[in-house]
Amino acid sequence: MHFFAGGSYLQETKKGLEGIVALDTSISFIDGMQGILKYRGIDIEHLAEMSYETISYLLINGILPGEQELAAYSNRLKSERRINGEMIDIMRVCNYGTEALDSLRTAISCTAHMDHENDNNSLDANKNKAVRLIAKLPTMIAALYRCKSGDFPFQPDETLSHGANFLYMLRGEAPSAIEAEAIEKDFILSAEHELNPSTFALRIAASTLADVYSAIITGLCTLKGPLHGGARRGVMEMLDEVAVPENANNYVLYKLSRKEKIMGFGHRVYRTYDPRSRIFKDMAKRVAKENGDPTWYEVAESLEHVMYREFLDVRGRPIYPNVDFYSAVIYKYLRIPPELATSVFAIGRVSGWTAHCFEQYADNRVIRPRAHYI
Ligand code: ACO
């Protein structure tokens, strides 16, 4: 227990802020004991069957769109997908080394410079910025990838869904129906998750009344770390390293003996199976079957079994795959390059981030905790 001199309160330091309730939110709800996740009161299993545009509207506006609202929102997103020639020039200069997110944060900064409403902090202007970010992120990431390879970016295809269009812009050909479903689900399941590290960081930025773009970049930079969104890339690399299911046992034992983390396992909040992982696992199995080569899926299942066994036997409690595990298996089948994985996560998450930004602005008090001086 720590007493603050002159203060009327006492506090116990909680490393990693574990168990601390920092604010009220109506955006999402997690029950980590029962494995329940809801966005705006609706179960994730139900949301996973909708379109990303619907979920994005729900998160930002607080209610599901009617048919007309959805059509209008969808049209606005589609009309904002394009990026201009200046932006593509900037992307050629950025030319990231091994991690596309390093260039994506520059691209978002440049979008802010080019946005005539950048300095307007009204709710209407901020919602316009949210639409621009949600619409343009897939185009930026695909363009960064194409520029890196020395190719011209593909223009967005307005006839395709948010997810299918992203895969089209990466590859230059429309994805199959199951690939389009898989990436759409990925964006939906990645869209929001209460006070995860990137959202908390973003809310701190928003609480200083920093603008939407600055707050989003704060969130994006925090997503990058391997203990958060960067784990998805780590899982993709692990799947390559393990290569066949028979290697999973030795791989896990070796890593655990060195006290290294296995990417894509464990969670601060869930003490049972993450409901998103269940949906991702089912989707990964279907994509693997369609692909005809189930190896990556089988490697992942073996890793899951070994991790469960090792944690139960040695520590007396199991460990479960988190949101990054089977989503990474899907990325392998969708041929998403590992250096893009964290940025692709951000495509989905940007709707949740902007919703949190607006919630913070609407009832703001600067977030400023204390530290215990030693
Ligand atoms: N591999 C091996 N051991 C693990 C793992 C793992 N993936 N996760 C937890 N453990 C162990 C820890 O070593 C620790 O053991 P100890 O008590 O003997 O020291 C115990 O389980 C508790 O783990 P913590 O790291 O204290 O749990 P915390 O709640 O602080 O961290 C986190 C949660 C960061 C997700 C952690 O499980 C982890 O590092 N996982 C791997 C990285 C990862 O997949 N991150 C993505 C999370 S989801 C997301 O952010 C989008």
Side-chain angles (χ1 to χ4, degrees), residues 62-84:
I63 49 163
L64 280 174
E67 216 171 292
Q68 281 182 354
E69 286 103 351
L70 181 59
Y73 187 64
S74 173
N75 285 339
R76 280 195 69 200
L77 284 174
K78 284 176 178 153
S79 70
E80 289 282 358
R81 280 180 184 171
R82 280 176 184 253
I83 54 175
N84 61 27

Short mmCIF file of all heavy atoms in Angstrom, two decimals, residues 62-84:
data_model
loop_
_atom_site.label_atom_id
_atom_site.label_comp_id
_atom_site.label_asym_id
_atom_site.label_seq_id
_atom_site.Cartn_x
_atom_site.Cartn_y
_atom_site.Cartn_z
N GLY A 62 -22.99 3.54 -32.35
CA GLY A 62 -23.66 2.99 -31.16
C GLY A 62 -24.87 2.14 -31.45
O GLY A 62 -25.39 1.49 -30.55
N ILE A 63 -25.37 2.15 -32.68
CA ILE A 63 -26.53 1.31 -33.04
C ILE A 63 -26.28 0.65 -34.39
O ILE A 63 -25.51 1.16 -35.21
CB ILE A 63 -27.85 2.13 -33.14
CG1 ILE A 63 -27.64 3.37 -34.01
CG2 ILE A 63 -28.40 2.50 -31.77
CD1 ILE A 63 -28.92 3.99 -34.49
N LEU A 64 -26.98 -0.47 -34.60
CA LEU A 64 -26.87 -1.12 -35.90
C LEU A 64 -27.53 -0.24 -36.96
O LEU A 64 -28.57 0.36 -36.69
CB LEU A 64 -27.57 -2.48 -35.87
CG LEU A 64 -26.80 -3.64 -35.24
CD1 LEU A 64 -27.70 -4.87 -35.15
CD2 LEU A 64 -25.53 -3.98 -36.03
N PRO A 65 -26.97 -0.17 -38.15
CA PRO A 65 -27.59 0.65 -39.19
C PRO A 65 -28.81 -0.03 -39.78
O PRO A 65 -28.87 -1.26 -39.87
CB PRO A 65 -26.48 0.75 -40.25
CG PRO A 65 -25.67 -0.51 -40.08
CD PRO A 65 -25.74 -0.85 -38.62
N GLY A 66 -29.81 0.76 -40.18
CA GLY A 66 -30.89 0.23 -41.00
C GLY A 66 -30.37 0.06 -42.42
O GLY A 66 -29.23 0.43 -42.72
N GLU A 67 -31.25 -0.45 -43.29
CA GLU A 67 -30.81 -0.73 -44.67
C GLU A 67 -30.28 0.53 -45.36
O GLU A 67 -29.22 0.50 -46.00
CB GLU A 67 -32.01 -1.28 -45.44
CG GLU A 67 -31.65 -2.35 -46.44
CD GLU A 67 -32.90 -2.98 -47.01
OE1 GLU A 67 -33.62 -3.68 -46.27
OE2 GLU A 67 -33.16 -2.74 -48.18
N GLN A 68 -31.02 1.63 -45.19
CA GLN A 68 -30.63 2.87 -45.88
C GLN A 68 -29.35 3.46 -45.30
O GLN A 68 -28.48 3.94 -46.04
CB GLN A 68 -31.75 3.90 -45.77
CG GLN A 68 -32.86 3.62 -46.76
CD GLN A 68 -33.97 4.66 -46.70
OE1 GLN A 68 -33.97 5.53 -45.84
NE2 GLN A 68 -34.92 4.53 -47.60
N GLU A 69 -29.27 3.43 -43.96
CA GLU A 69 -28.06 3.98 -43.31
C GLU A 69 -26.83 3.19 -43.74
O GLU A 69 -25.77 3.74 -44.01
CB GLU A 69 -28.15 3.92 -41.78
CG GLU A 69 -29.07 4.95 -41.16
CD GLU A 69 -30.38 4.34 -40.75
OE1 GLU A 69 -30.62 3.17 -41.11
OE2 GLU A 69 -31.18 5.04 -40.08
N LEU A 70 -27.00 1.86 -43.82
CA LEU A 70 -25.87 1.02 -44.21
C LEU A 70 -25.44 1.31 -45.64
O LEU A 70 -24.25 1.43 -45.94
CB LEU A 70 -26.20 -0.47 -44.03
CG LEU A 70 -25.06 -1.43 -44.38
CD1 LEU A 70 -23.83 -1.16 -43.53
CD2 LEU A 70 -25.50 -2.89 -44.22
N ALA A 71 -26.43 1.44 -46.52
CA ALA A 71 -26.11 1.72 -47.93
C ALA A 71 -25.36 3.05 -48.04
O ALA A 71 -24.35 3.16 -48.76
CB ALA A 71 -27.38 1.75 -48.76
N ALA A 72 -25.83 4.06 -47.29
CA ALA A 72 -25.18 5.38 -47.35
C ALA A 72 -23.76 5.29 -46.79
O ALA A 72 -22.81 5.85 -47.36
CB ALA A 72 -26.01 6.40 -46.58
N TYR A 73 -23.61 4.58 -45.66
CA TYR A 73 -22.28 4.46 -45.02
C TYR A 73 -21.32 3.71 -45.94
O TYR A 73 -20.18 4.11 -46.13
CB TYR A 73 -22.44 3.74 -43.68
CG TYR A 73 -21.18 3.69 -42.85
CD1 TYR A 73 -20.60 4.85 -42.35
CD2 TYR A 73 -20.57 2.47 -42.54
CE1 TYR A 73 -19.45 4.81 -41.57
CE2 TYR A 73 -19.41 2.42 -41.76
CZ TYR A 73 -18.85 3.59 -41.28
OH TYR A 73 -17.71 3.54 -40.52
N SER A 74 -21.84 2.64 -46.53
CA SER A 74 -21.03 1.83 -47.44
C SER A 74 -20.56 2.67 -48.63
O SER A 74 -19.40 2.62 -49.03
CB SER A 74 -21.87 0.62 -47.88
OG SER A 74 -21.20 -0.08 -48.87
N ASN A 75 -21.47 3.46 -49.18
CA ASN A 75 -21.11 4.31 -50.32
C ASN A 75 -20.05 5.34 -49.94
O ASN A 75 -19.12 5.61 -50.70
CB ASN A 75 -22.34 5.04 -50.88
CG ASN A 75 -23.21 4.08 -51.67
OD1 ASN A 75 -22.73 3.02 -52.12
ND2 ASN A 75 -24.49 4.40 -51.81
N ARG A 76 -20.20 5.90 -48.74
CA ARG A 76 -19.20 6.90 -48.28
C ARG A 76 -17.84 6.24 -48.14
O ARG A 76 -16.83 6.78 -48.58
CB ARG A 76 -19.62 7.47 -46.92
CG ARG A 76 -20.67 8.54 -47.03
CD ARG A 76 -20.76 9.29 -45.73
NE ARG A 76 -19.59 10.11 -45.46
CZ ARG A 76 -19.25 10.55 -44.24
NH1 ARG A 76 -19.98 10.25 -43.20
NH2 ARG A 76 -18.19 11.30 -44.09
N LEU A 77 -17.81 5.05 -47.52
CA LEU A 77 -16.53 4.36 -47.36
C LEU A 77 -15.90 4.08 -48.73
O LEU A 77 -14.71 4.31 -48.95
CB LEU A 77 -16.71 3.05 -46.59
CG LEU A 77 -16.92 3.15 -45.08
CD1 LEU A 77 -17.24 1.78 -44.49
CD2 LEU A 77 -15.69 3.72 -44.38
N LYS A 78 -16.73 3.59 -49.65
CA LYS A 78 -16.19 3.23 -50.98
C LYS A 78 -15.65 4.46 -51.69
O LYS A 78 -14.61 4.41 -52.35
CB LYS A 78 -17.26 2.54 -51.80
CG LYS A 78 -17.45 1.10 -51.33
CD LYS A 78 -18.56 0.37 -52.04
CE LYS A 78 -18.59 -1.06 -51.51
NZ LYS A 78 -19.89 -1.69 -51.60
N SER A 79 -16.37 5.59 -51.53
CA SER A 79 -15.92 6.80 -52.24
C SER A 79 -14.64 7.38 -51.63
O SER A 79 -13.97 8.21 -52.24
CB SER A 79 -17.04 7.85 -52.23
OG SER A 79 -17.19 8.34 -50.93
N GLU A 80 -14.33 6.97 -50.41
CA GLU A 80 -13.11 7.49 -49.74
C GLU A 80 -11.93 6.52 -49.83
O GLU A 80 -10.89 6.75 -49.22
CB GLU A 80 -13.39 7.79 -48.26
CG GLU A 80 -14.27 8.98 -48.01
CD GLU A 80 -13.54 10.32 -48.14
OE1 GLU A 80 -12.31 10.33 -48.41
OE2 GLU A 80 -14.21 11.36 -48.01
N ARG A 81 -12.09 5.41 -50.55
CA ARG A 81 -11.01 4.41 -50.57
C ARG A 81 -9.74 4.89 -51.27
O ARG A 81 -8.64 4.50 -50.90
CB ARG A 81 -11.50 3.13 -51.29
CG ARG A 81 -12.34 2.22 -50.44
CD ARG A 81 -12.77 0.99 -51.22
NE ARG A 81 -13.66 0.14 -50.47
CZ ARG A 81 -14.30 -0.89 -50.98
NH1 ARG A 81 -14.17 -1.19 -52.27
NH2 ARG A 81 -15.09 -1.63 -50.23
N ARG A 82 -9.90 5.72 -52.28
CA ARG A 82 -8.72 6.09 -53.09
C ARG A 82 -7.74 6.96 -52.31
O ARG A 82 -8.14 7.76 -51.47
CB ARG A 82 -9.16 6.87 -54.33
CG ARG A 82 -9.66 5.97 -55.41
CD ARG A 82 -10.18 6.76 -56.60
NE ARG A 82 -10.73 5.83 -57.55
CZ ARG A 82 -10.14 5.50 -58.70
NH1 ARG A 82 -9.02 6.07 -59.06
NH2 ARG A 82 -10.70 4.62 -59.51
N ILE A 83 -6.46 6.81 -52.65
CA ILE A 83 -5.44 7.74 -52.13
C ILE A 83 -4.84 8.44 -53.33
O ILE A 83 -4.85 7.90 -54.45
CB ILE A 83 -4.36 7.00 -51.31
CG1 ILE A 83 -3.72 5.85 -52.10
CG2 ILE A 83 -4.94 6.48 -50.00
CD1 ILE A 83 -2.58 5.18 -51.38
N ASN A 84 -4.33 9.66 -53.11
CA ASN A 84 -3.88 10.44 -54.28
C ASN A 84 -2.42 10.15 -54.65
O ASN A 84 -1.70 9.44 -53.94
CB ASN A 84 -4.14 11.94 -54.05
CG ASN A 84 -3.38 12.47 -52.86
OD1 ASN A 84 -2.33 11.93 -52.50
ND2 ASN A 84 -3.89 13.52 -52.24
#
